[in-house]
């Protein structure tokens, strides 16, 4: 579970659910590849609501830009993801795979 003042994010093995904090209405349901580690990053900045989670294929990252109502996916690695993180302002995304040989830094 990840929290912000306006969002609650619940990460399941094959799904990510995003709820409004105010009324707990489900606003987004994202299907993902197997995610037993519960990988997900939620930007804490109130001015830039960004969510990053596993995508629909191995090594893929899905990024949700809630303010702009945009979604995009990036094939970050060829092997499964091991870690992902957003900067405090949500402007950059860092990923690492299970191989652990490369860190990818991307603009979000």
């Amino acid at each position: 579970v990840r929290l912000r003042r306006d969002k609650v994010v619940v990460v399941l093995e094959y799904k990510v659910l995003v709820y409004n904090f105010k009324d707990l209405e489900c606003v987004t349901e994202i299907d993902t590849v197997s995610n037993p580690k519960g990988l997900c990053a939620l930007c804490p900045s109130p001015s830039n609501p960004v969510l990053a989670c596993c995508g629909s294929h191995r090594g893929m990252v899905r990024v949700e830009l809630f303010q702009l109502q945009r979604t995009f996916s990036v094939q970050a690695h060829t092997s499964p993801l091991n870690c992902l993180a957003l900067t405090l302002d949500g402007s950059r995304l860092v990923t690492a795979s299970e191989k652990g040989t490369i860190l990818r830094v991307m603009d979000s």
Side-chain angles (χ1 to χ4, degrees), residues 12 14 84 98:
L12 306 173
Y14 290 97
L84 55 90
E98 286 184 352

Side-chain angles (χ1 to χ4, degrees), residues 40-54:
C40 180
L42 184 62
C43 176
S45 171
S47 63
N48 193 16
V50 178
L51 168 75
C53 62
C54 292

Side-chain angles (χ1 to χ4, degrees), residues 7-61:
K7 301 269 187 259
V8 177
V9 178
V10 179
V11 182
L12 306 173
E13 185 171 358
Y14 290 97
K15 195 171 287 224
V16 175
L17 303 166
V18 182
Y19 297 91
N20 283 329
F21 193 83
K22 184 177 179 180
D23 57 7
L24 293 180
E25 177 187 349
C26 186
V27 292
T28 305
E29 188 173 314
I30 303 167
D31 292 321
T32 68
V33 70
S34 177
N35 184 10
K37 295 178 183 177
L39 297 178
C40 180
L42 184 62
C43 176
S45 171
S47 63
N48 193 16
V50 178
L51 168 75
C53 62
C54 292
S56 57
H57 302 293
R58 181 179 65 178
M60 185 174 283
V61 178

Side-chain angles (χ1 to χ4, degrees), residues 28-103:
T28 305
E29 188 173 314
I30 303 167
D31 292 321
T32 68
V33 70
S34 177
N35 184 10
K37 295 178 183 177
L39 297 178
C40 180
L42 184 62
C43 176
S45 171
S47 63
N48 193 16
V50 178
L51 168 75
C53 62
C54 292
S56 57
H57 302 293
R58 181 179 65 178
M60 185 174 283
V61 178
R62 179 174 169 148
V63 179
E64 294 279 338
L65 305 172
F66 292 111
Q67 194 169 26
L68 300 175
Q69 298 181 348
R70 282 191 59 211
T71 300
F72 64 92
S73 296
V74 176
Q75 186 67 47
H77 302 276
T78 56
S79 58
L81 295 171
N82 192 41
C83 184
L84 55 90
L86 287 164
T87 56
L88 287 177
D89 65 356
S91 64
R92 299 235 182 344
L93 170 68
V94 178
T95 64
S97 70
E98 286 184 352
K99 279 186 178 179
T101 55
I102 294 176
L103 292 176

